[in-house]
Amino acid sequence: MPALLEIRGLSAGLRGRRSVTPVVSDVDLDVQAGEILGVVGESGCGKSTLAAAIMRLLVPPQVLQSGSMNFRLADGSYDLAQLPARELRQLRWRQLSYIPQGSMNSLNPVLRVERQMTDTLLQHGLTKAEAHKRSVAALELVNLEPKILESYPHELSGGMRQRVIIAAAVSMRPALIVADELTTALDVVTQRQILQELAAIRDELGATIILITHDMGVVAQIADRVAVMYAGKIAELGTVNGIFEAPLHPYSQGLIGSIPRESGQRVEGLPGEAPSPWKYPGGCRFHPRCPEVFAPCNERIPALLPQKPERRVACHLYDAEVAADA
Amino acid sequence: MTADSSSVALTNEQQTAERREVFQYVLRRFGVYLFTLWAAITVAFFIFRLVPGDPMNILLGNITRAEGRQRDAAEQEVIIARYRKIFGVDDPLPLQYVNYLRKAILGGLDLGPSFVEYPAQTKDLVFRRMPWTIGIFTTSVLLAWLVGTGLGALIGWLQRSRLSQLAVVISTLLQITPVYLVALGLIIYVGYTWRILPAGGPYARHLQPEWTWEFISSLLTHAILPMLSNMIVIGAGFTLGMRALMISVLGEDYLTFARAKGLSPYTVLKDYAFRNALIPQVTALAIIVGATLNGTFIIEVLFQLPGLGTLFVQAMGLRDFNTMQAVVLFSIFAVLTLTLIVDLALPLLDPRVRRTA
Ligand SMILES: Nc1ncnc2c1ncn2[C@@H]1O[C@H](COP(=O)(O)OP(=O)(O)O)[C@@H](O)[C@H]1O
Ligand code: SF4
Ligand SMILES: [Mg+2]
């Protein structure tokens, strides 16, 4: 089955005075209809940049450098990277929704919730009554009562605001939802509830979700597949079960090893720090921190190659050709 | 999971408490207003009396010059004594002060006689001059605010375009130019060199105030340059202020979200960016009003308009305390009242203030 979203060679960076510093480099990613795809990586590895690139919401100095993003819908296929602004606007919210990082501040403080939920619906051609009905229905999906529509954002708790954003994002029943650090600012209990609500929404609406997080625990909880990102590139891609059982990439192994399992039990994290875009190393970007580093790693860039079924890894360890050379 | 949503509903008790809070806020704000008014009058009262020069001697000098003959010392003494009594400057300062306040408050704004146009009452003098100042000042400040807010919103929205960067440079230059330089520039070039518009006096000399088209059009054309002087400088300030507000709002998360929702650029601009930047811009109006009234006084003098500014300058020359005080009193009253109105109106614009007020 063809993927709902097919990302090929996507690169985005920061425009400086002379050159563009790459932040996300050459990302290939297929998002299957109906799945929850986790994108996980340390903070600063370019997850939000990737999300904004998919949403075409990069703001200068951020720039989309190259790549294609084929978005397949029933009525045809759109390359999000090339789509003119007007058509993009038509697609947004109807088919493509965004839950931005820091959604706590994503509501306009001087407009009531109702206005902010319905203005888009009205612009997409719904009547006032329909828009109201849909908003109420969407709020129900995240267990909020209709009277919340009367409130201003500052009257709501953080968890409620996050739920309002989710409700707004799903109110048009979009095909794809990109959710960036959905639960980061919330307490553990609220976090769990919201993730459950999101999973329920996926089941009920049949939406596809790209769930971006730095938290392996969140991925383990609700994602079907996961893309592990390191320094702007995808290191490993596979099913959640597969990767948690047998991570192949040394970085995935480190990430999974550093999940705190039981309370109080300290686990060793990854040594060193994730590089900022201005300091991405050559060759395999992980090589300065890699415990398995060997000869070609600081020169050759590993390609994201298929390994066993449903798994892709970008590491020379698993590249027969490179291993033969070394 | 719905437990925390119950906090949205306000119980009756909460509503009553809220209303009481609002009432207290209004009361407190009004108290501050009255206190400031009183303090300003008091300071003005004593400061003006510290200015060297006895108003009686100056007045006498003027009378002498007008009559063209010198009086002998005894006659002078008599005249001065009479005037001193009329103006009540014989009493000790504290008593003068108390009398002044008493008459002003209980005597129906009796601010004493003026020296400038004796025996006219200071109050009448101020009321006669006030329309000029109010007309020029409020019209130009409001126009400047409207134009500056619109322009600032636009160049903030288009922050990266060349034209908008040029507009910023021009506004900055205009904003730092003193208002009298702009006024003089307009008088010299537009008024005298190119002779496009009249640059002095309230209306053409040969006309009388009456409801004729000729008089009204003369009045309006004479008002253009004075108002323009004020508008250019204040408007540039409002433009820069609004631009800064817009740019900071444009960086907010809720703006990204608004764009992600697929709203048209116009809706994003109107409901998310402009609306939010407008709230502090309204507050700026109140602040600017206070800071620019003196600019209007200078403009009146430069353009020879019979407003409060020129009255103040005349009164200053005579050490006419009563008139000087009245002008200050009026200015402070106007500024404070405007600020009060804006302060009380802000909760209507900004739901966040409603609760915290
Ligand atoms: N607008 C920007 N200005 C400067 N640096 C940026 C900007 N956007 C992203 N970056 C940098 O790019 C890197 C990746 O950022 P981001 O995509 O937000 O990472 P993540 O979401 O994984 O934490 C970070 O080092 C960040 O500092
Ligand atoms: S390519 Fe080399 S440095 Fe990179 S992860 Fe594999 S072993 Fe480590
Ligand atoms: Mg991020």
Side-chain angles (χ1 to χ4, degrees):
Chain A
M1 195 175 70
L4 175 71
L5 180 66
E6 199 178 272
I7 302 174
R8 290 292 175 269
L10 183 72
S11 295
L14 295 164
R15 190 183 293 286
R17 209 157 288 173
R18 288 209 194 80
S19 59
V20 177
T21 307
V23 175
V24 170
S25 310
D26 205 19
V27 164
D28 294 343
L29 198 60
D30 283 354
V31 187
Q32 303 296 339
E35 75 171 338
I36 296 183
L37 172 69
V39 175
V40 72
E42 284 160 296
S43 156
C45 73
K47 302 180 301 288
S48 294
T49 307
L50 176 64
I54 294 172
M55 292 300 306
R56 279 276 297 277
L57 282 172
L58 294 171
V59 208
Q62 299 173 317
V63 283
L64 187 65
Q65 293 171 277
S66 58
S68 67
M69 300 182 277
N70 248 312
F71 191 32
R72 275 200 197 84
L73 297 169
D75 64 341
S77 180
Y78 306 85
D79 181 1
L80 295 179
Q82 305 290 340
L83 210 61
R86 176 179 292 270
E87 286 177 53
L88 192 65
R89 246 186 357 252
Q90 301 283 326
L91 228 49
R92 282 180 173 162
W93 241 231
R94 225 178 237 290
Q95 299 293 2
L96 179 62
S97 278
Y98 184 45
I99 301 172
Q101 177 163 7
S103 329
M104 294 301 187
N105 306 317
S106 291
L107 292 172
N108 186 341
V110 305
L111 296 183
R112 286 181 202 276
V113 169
E114 167 138 41
R115 173 85 172 269
Q116 301 191 57
M117 285 191 73
T118 53
D119 56 3
T120 320
L121 305 183
L122 295 177
Q123 242 173 49
H124 282 297
L126 272 67
T127 66
K128 260 200 153 131
E130 285 167 347
H132 180 84
K133 232 173 83 187
R134 275 207 191 213
S135 303
V136 171
L139 286 173
E140 202 173 313
L141 290 173
V142 288
N143 297 305
L144 288 179
E145 289 173 30
K147 69 179 174 208
I148 220 160
L149 288 171
E150 303 300 314
S151 318
Y152 285 99
H154 67 95
E155 297 169 335
L156 307 176
S157 69
M160 288 158 92
R161 261 179 277 171
Q162 183 64 298
R163 288 188 168 99
V164 168
I165 299 270
I166 296 173
V170 302
S171 57
M172 291 288 280
R173 302 176 163 258
L176 179 65
I177 301 165
V178 180
D180 192 358
E181 303 284 5
L182 187 67
T183 54
T184 301
L186 303 172
D187 64 90
V188 187
V189 178
T190 315
Q191 217 174 71
R192 186 172 297 264
Q193 289 169 352
I194 285 185
L195 287 177
Q196 281 165 1
E197 285 158 12
L198 194 70
I201 284 171
R202 189 267 307 263
D203 297 340
E204 207 156 311
L205 306 185
T208 307
I209 299 170
I210 300 179
L211 184 72
I212 288 174
T213 176
H214 67 277
D215 186 348
M216 264 294 192
V218 169
V219 169
Q221 202 181 326
I222 70 161
D224 304 305
R225 288 197 309 144
V226 57
V228 178
M229 244 181 121
Y230 185 80
K233 289 179 79 76
I234 296 200
E236 185 166 3
L237 180 68
T239 61
V240 168
N241 289 341
I243 288 192
F244 271 80
E245 268 162 34
L248 294 181
H249 196 285
Y251 179 62
S252 316
Q253 291 166 359
L255 267 189
I256 288 166
S258 63
I259 304 175
R261 274 164 218 281
E262 261 136 64
S263 52
Q265 190 185 331
R266 283 284 318 145
V267 275
E268 81 282 20
L270 284 160
E273 244 177 74
S276 76
W278 296 271
K279 293 186 187 140
Y280 283 168
C284 170
R285 288 181 180 170
F286 188 53
H287 83 258
R289 294 171 79 188
C290 182
E292 318 263 351
V293 59
F294 65 115
C297 294
N298 59 357
E299 284 165 9
R300 283 175 69 165
I301 300 174
L304 187 65
L305 298 174
Q307 291 301 322
K308 42 189 181 176
E310 300 191 274
R311 186 77 67 90
R312 286 170 171 268
V313 185
C315 170
H316 294 315
L317 284 175
Y318 305 94
D319 188 337
E321 238 175 82
V322 175
D325 287 358
Chain B
M1 263 175 264
T2 50
D4 55 354
S5 62
S6 62
S7 69
V8 182
L10 291 174
T11 63
N12 277 340
E13 270 165 54
Q14 275 171 315
Q15 272 174 357
T16 319
E18 209 170 291
R19 239 175 261 140
R20 194 175 329 121
E21 257 172 49
V22 170
F23 182 69
Q24 279 171 355
Y25 166 74
V26 172
L27 212 63
R28 200 164 43 225
R29 195 57 200 72
F30 202 70
V32 171
Y33 167 78
L34 287 180
F35 176 79
T36 321
L37 202 57
W38 167 77
I41 297 170
T42 306
V43 170
F45 182 90
F46 289 103
I47 292 253
F48 290 150
R49 271 158 237 277
L50 292 178
V51 179
D54 183 343
M56 298 311 137
N57 286 334
I58 297 173
L59 189 65
L60 195 69
N62 283 4
I63 294 173
T64 309
R65 238 170 289 128
E67 293 184 343
R69 73 179 178 89
Q70 190 70 36
R71 293 166 199 256
D72 58 51
E75 209 179 344
Q76 282 187 12
E77 281 299 309
V78 174
I79 295 176
I80 288 182
R82 215 177 73 221
Y83 275 120
R84 293 187 79 88
K85 205 162 171 52
I86 296 171
F87 293 113
V89 285
D90 271 340
D91 304 326
L93 261 189
L95 188 61
Q96 284 186 39
Y97 171 69
V98 172
N99 278 337
Y100 182 77
L101 279 190
R102 184 174 48 82
K103 281 192 193 158
I105 298 167
L106 303 176
L109 261 186
D110 178 2
L111 303 177
S114 71
F115 305 170
V116 180
E117 288 186 25
Y118 185 77
Q121 280 290 307
T122 307
K123 180 176 67 175
D124 300 334
L125 207 54
V126 167
F127 281 149
R128 204 181 326 135
R129 302 288 196 106
M130 204 164 59
W132 292 100
T133 304
I134 292 191
I136 290 178
F137 178 68
T138 42
T139 321
S140 56
V141 169
L142 286 181
L143 280 177
W145 188 83
L146 286 177
V147 173
T149 301
L151 210 60
L154 200 67
I155 65 178
W157 180 253
L158 305 171
Q159 52 176 310
R160 270 172 255 277
S161 82
R162 276 282 145 78
L163 209 61
S164 140
Q165 282 161 1
L166 182 70
V168 171
V169 174
I170 295 176
S171 312
T172 311
L173 284 178
L174 287 177
Q175 195 210 8
I176 56 173
T177 314
V179 67
Y180 58 86
L181 280 188
V182 175
L184 283 176
L186 288 175
I187 291 173
I188 292 170
Y189 288 102
V190 184
Y192 290 99
T193 313
W194 303 325
R195 298 189 167 278
I196 302 171
L197 284 166
Y203 41 79
R205 255 175 242 287
H206 65 278
L207 295 174
Q208 286 292 315
E210 53 190 344
W211 287 109
T212 60
W213 172 239
E214 194 190 9
F215 174 75
I216 292 171
S217 69
S218 172
L219 195 71
L220 291 179
T221 46
H222 278 76
I224 292 178
L225 285 188
M227 298 212 319
L228 204 59
S229 320
N230 223 6
M231 273 185 66
I232 287 175
V233 177
I234 303 174
F238 280 135
T239 305
L240 291 176
M242 187 62 183
R243 170 184 172 269
L245 290 169
M246 278 295 278
I247 287 177
S248 87
V249 169
L250 291 179
E252 295 283 349
D253 288 341
Y254 55 78
L255 223 91
T256 311
F257 192 59
R259 271 189 283 130
K261 289 201 290 190
L263 293 171
S264 70
Y266 174 72
T267 311
V268 175
L269 173 64
K270 178 170 72 75
D271 288 352
Y272 289 80
F274 184 71
R275 201 193 155 99
N276 289 57
L278 197 60
I279 295 166
Q281 179 77 351
V282 170
T283 320
L285 176 61
I287 297 167
I288 298 290
V289 160
T292 51
L293 189 58
N294 55 358
T296 305
F297 286 178
I298 295 172
I299 288 173
E300 282 175 9
V301 175
L302 289 176
F303 284 94
Q304 305 148 44
L305 299 174
L308 290 176
T310 35
L311 179 63
F312 188 82
V313 172
Q314 288 170 354
M316 187 82 179
L318 279 180
R319 308 292 184 277
D320 179 352
F321 306 136
N322 285 351
T323 305
M324 283 154 76
Q325 268 157 219
V327 171
V328 169
L329 186 74
F330 163 78
S331 315
I332 305 257
F333 170 76
V335 170
L336 286 180
T337 307
L338 273 170
T339 318
L340 181 73
I341 292 173
V342 169
D343 269 7
L344 293 181
L346 207 57
L348 298 180
L349 277 175
D350 190 347
R352 286 163 299 182
V353 194
R354 252 170 258 171
R355 281 289 182 81
T356 48

